[in-house]
């Protein structure tokens, strides 16, 4: 089995600031660094570090070869990453002293993917594989449609959130992952409770309140308490959770255990500053002592 992840690849430009910028404000950063990021790359690295096989479907520009090489070093299958003329996507990330962040994204090459690229990437995919995607690339509907037609388990991490995009792909989904704000926005946009949506498994991350899993087939609604930690940087925590969740499912774990695995990995992640480069591996999770 394998995870095929249609996802973004970004250069993450980090700036440590005393507080997040207000409109019209100019503020000097106290630290700066560059790292590998993008929700897609983050999730692929997380899946690989959680000991599952992941094939990344994405694009970079000529300035992004370093990112592909780094993903390969982290265990990601990069053969379906194409190089295009557009510049590699990048994100400007401000992080304040409380660990909160604000992020500005330029999509660049992430929006250059075509239907042909998706078809080629999924050539060897089977119903035993999982298809993961987010909202930072082109061809989300095409990818989900092709994956569903192949019988793959389709998982949508609906961020950055757009209710219309979710509504478009919802009939193709097996699993939908959102945070609490996004879940409320989707309910408002559809006029339906989460339990009434046509997706079998819905997972809502609640930050410091933990996580919620709804199975719309049997009507169950299960809560998972948060793991208490002192956060340093929340950037990439949701991507880490999703990557470990998907890796757990790919390895045959029941949903509840896969969610727990994702929570543990995310709890470690928020104690580190950075994105893909500092995502914990499975041994980190196994060695952690929470509580």
């Amino acid at each position: 089995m394998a995870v095929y992840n249609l996802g973004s690849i970004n250069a993450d430009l980090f700036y440590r600031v005393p507080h997040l910028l207000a409109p019209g404000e100019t503020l000097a950063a106290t630290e700066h660094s560059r790292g590998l990021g993008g929700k897609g790359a983050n999730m692929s690295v997380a899946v690989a570090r959680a000991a599952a096989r992941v094939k990344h479907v994405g694009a970079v520009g000529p300035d992004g070869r370093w990112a592909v090489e780094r993903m390969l070093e982290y265990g990601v299958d990069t053969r379906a990453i194409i190089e295009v003329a557009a510049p590699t996507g990048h994100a400007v990330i401000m992080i304040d002293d409380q660990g909160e962040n604000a992020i500005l994204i330029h999509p660049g090459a992430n929006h250059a993917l075509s239907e042909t690229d998706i078809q080629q990437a999924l050539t060897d995919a089977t119903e035993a594989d999982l298809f993961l995607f987010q909202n930072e690339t082109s061809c989300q509907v095409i990818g989900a449609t092709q994956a569903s037609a192949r019988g793959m388990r389709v998982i949508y991490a609906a961020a950055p959130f757009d209710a219309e995009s979710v509504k478009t792909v919802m009939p193709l989904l097996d699993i939908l992952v959102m945070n609490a704000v996004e879940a409320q926005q989707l309910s408002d946009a559809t006029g339906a409770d989460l339990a009434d949506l046509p997706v079998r498994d819905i997972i809502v991350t609640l930050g410091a309140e933990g996580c919620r899993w709804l199975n719309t087939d049997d009507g169950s609604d299960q809560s998972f308490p948060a793991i208490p930690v002192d956060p340093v940087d929340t950037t990439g925590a949701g991507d880490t959770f999703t990557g470990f969740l998907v890796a757990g499912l790919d390895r045959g774990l029941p949903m509840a255990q896969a969610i727990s695995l994702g929570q543990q990995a995310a709890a470690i992640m928020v104690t580190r500053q950075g994105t893909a480069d500092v995502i914990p591996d499975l041994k980190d999770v196994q060695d952690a002592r929470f509580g």
Side-chain angles (χ1 to χ4, degrees):
M1 295 189 292
V3 177
Y4 286 73
N5 180 20
L6 170 60
S8 57
I9 303 171
N10 287 341
D12 278 352
L13 307 176
F14 294 96
Y15 297 87
R16 173 68 66 172
V17 292
H19 58 266
L20 301 184
L21 279 173
E25 182 180 12
T26 299
L27 185 65
T30 56
E31 297 178 24
H32 168 63
S33 62
R34 184 188 76 168
L36 171 66
K39 286 188 171 298
N42 294 343
M43 291 183 193
S44 282
V45 171
V47 172
R49 288 192 162 178
R53 178 172 167 247
V54 56
K55 185 171 185 177
H56 191 94
V57 183
V60 297
D63 58 334
R65 293 168 189 165
W66 66 272
V68 179
E69 292 172 358
R70 193 168 296 180
M71 291 175 70
L72 184 61
E73 291 173 1
Y74 292 150
V76 177
D77 183 339
T78 61
R79 290 174 293 177
I81 298 175
I82 63 170
E83 185 174 307
V84 298
T88 301
H90 66 266
V92 176
I93 303 170
M94 293 184 295
I95 306 166
D96 69 14
D97 292 337
Q98 286 71 50
E100 291 300 323
N101 63 67
I103 304 173
L104 173 68
I105 297 174
H106 174 65
N110 295 312
H111 281 189
L113 287 162
S114 69
E115 181 174 358
T116 300
D117 298 327
I118 307 303
Q119 290 175 338
Q120 292 177 345
L122 295 181
T123 298
D124 297 326
T126 72
E127 61 183 13
D129 300 320
L130 286 72
F131 180 79
L132 172 64
F133 68 114
Q134 314 84 36
N135 278 340
E136 290 185 341
T137 70
S138 52
C139 295
Q140 292 103 336
V141 176
I142 291 169
T145 300
Q146 292 188 17
S148 181
R150 290 175 176 272
M152 302 172 74
R153 197 173 185 181
V154 180
I155 305 168
Y156 184 28
F161 187 77
D162 178 75
E164 292 305 312
S165 296
V166 180
K167 289 162 66 175
T168 300
V169 299
M170 199 180 298
L172 303 167
L173 303 181
D174 296 295
I175 301 173
L176 174 60
V177 183
M178 304 172 288
N179 64 31
V181 173
E182 294 161 349
Q184 184 60 55
Q185 291 174 342
L186 183 59
S187 290
D188 292 343
T190 59
D193 292 335
L194 294 182
D196 296 325
L197 297 178
V199 181
R200 184 182 59 220
D201 292 299
I202 299 172
I203 298 168
V204 182
T205 58
L206 305 171
E209 300 301 317
C211 181
R212 180 185 176 198
W213 166 39
L214 295 87
N215 184 301
T216 61
D217 279 356
D218 61 20
S220 61
D221 187 343
Q222 186 171 346
S223 295
F224 298 77
I227 298 172
V229 294
D230 295 321
V232 172
D233 178 7
T234 59
T235 311
D239 302 336
T240 300
F241 169 83
T242 302
F244 271 74
L245 165 75
V246 172
L249 295 174
D250 182 64
R251 299 205 318 270
L253 293 182
M255 180 65 79
Q257 291 184 27
I259 289 173
S260 179
L261 181 68
Q263 286 187 294
Q264 293 173 66
I268 295 172
M269 183 63 177
V270 299
T271 67
R272 302 174 175 183
Q273 182 175 329
T275 44
D277 297 305
V278 299
I279 291 173
D281 61 21
L282 189 58
K283 187 176 186 303
D284 291 328
V285 174
Q286 293 170 338
D287 292 345
R289 296 292 182 265
F290 296 111

